């Protein structure tokens, strides 16, 4: 088990980091775009509605998005905590009703 021990920044408000703000804006634009596409598909023929148009390039974009999300998450953590460290549980035993 791994966990974070930290001192929270009392002035923190999501999103604080530039990378996370950019990621939130990208997500907002994708939602708007997908809603426009869905509306267009509803007015088009049924055969076009079931064609999702995904390609291998979409899969490559997913891998790129994963790294961008990870970078944005780590950058956001640096704004959320004034200081932090990580801890792990190496051994977990229970004796005499004590953990």
């Amino acid at each position: 088990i791994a966990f974070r021990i930290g001192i929270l920044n009392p002035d923190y408000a999501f999103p604080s980091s530039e990378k996370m703000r950019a990621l939130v804006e990208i997500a907002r634009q994708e939602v708007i775009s997908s809603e426009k596409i869905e509306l267009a598909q509803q007015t088009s023929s049924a055969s076009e509605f079931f064609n999702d148009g995904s390609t291998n390039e979409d899969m490559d974009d997913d891998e790129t998005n994963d790294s961008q999300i990870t970078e944005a998450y780590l950058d956001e953590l640096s704004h959320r905590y004034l200081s932090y460290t990580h801890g792990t549980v190496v051994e977990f035993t229970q004796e005499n009703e004590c953990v």
Side-chain angles (χ1 to χ4, degrees):
I1 299 173
F3 53 92
R4 177 184 308 273
I5 303 168
I7 300 169
L8 291 173
N9 180 354
D11 299 327
Y12 173 76
F14 180 84
S16 290
S17 71
E18 290 299 319
K19 290 180 182 180
M20 187 59 76
R21 286 185 194 143
L23 190 63
V24 167
E25 182 60 26
I26 289 169
R28 189 177 75 74
Q29 292 297 329
E30 287 177 356
V31 167
I32 291 170
S33 175
S34 67
E35 287 175 349
K36 288 179 182 178
I37 291 170
E38 185 176 329
L39 182 60
Q41 288 175 340
Q42 289 175 355
T43 60
S44 67
S45 69
S47 63
E48 292 176 6
F49 181 78
F50 290 107
N51 180 12
D52 68 354
S54 62
T55 64
N56 286 341
E57 290 178 11
D58 292 338
M59 291 180 187
D60 291 340
D61 288 343
D62 287 343
E63 290 175 7
T64 302
N65 287 342
D66 288 346
S67 67
Q68 289 174 339
I69 291 169
T70 301
E71 286 179 25
Y73 173 74
L74 293 174
D75 193 34
E76 189 67 20
L77 285 179
S78 70
H79 287 81
R80 183 171 187 195
Y81 294 95
L82 297 175
S83 179
Y84 65 87
T85 189
H86 294 91
T88 59
V89 175
V90 177
E91 184 177 342
F92 184 83
T93 58
Q94 183 174 0
E95 296 177 9
N96 299 325
E97 299 179 6
C98 295
V99 178

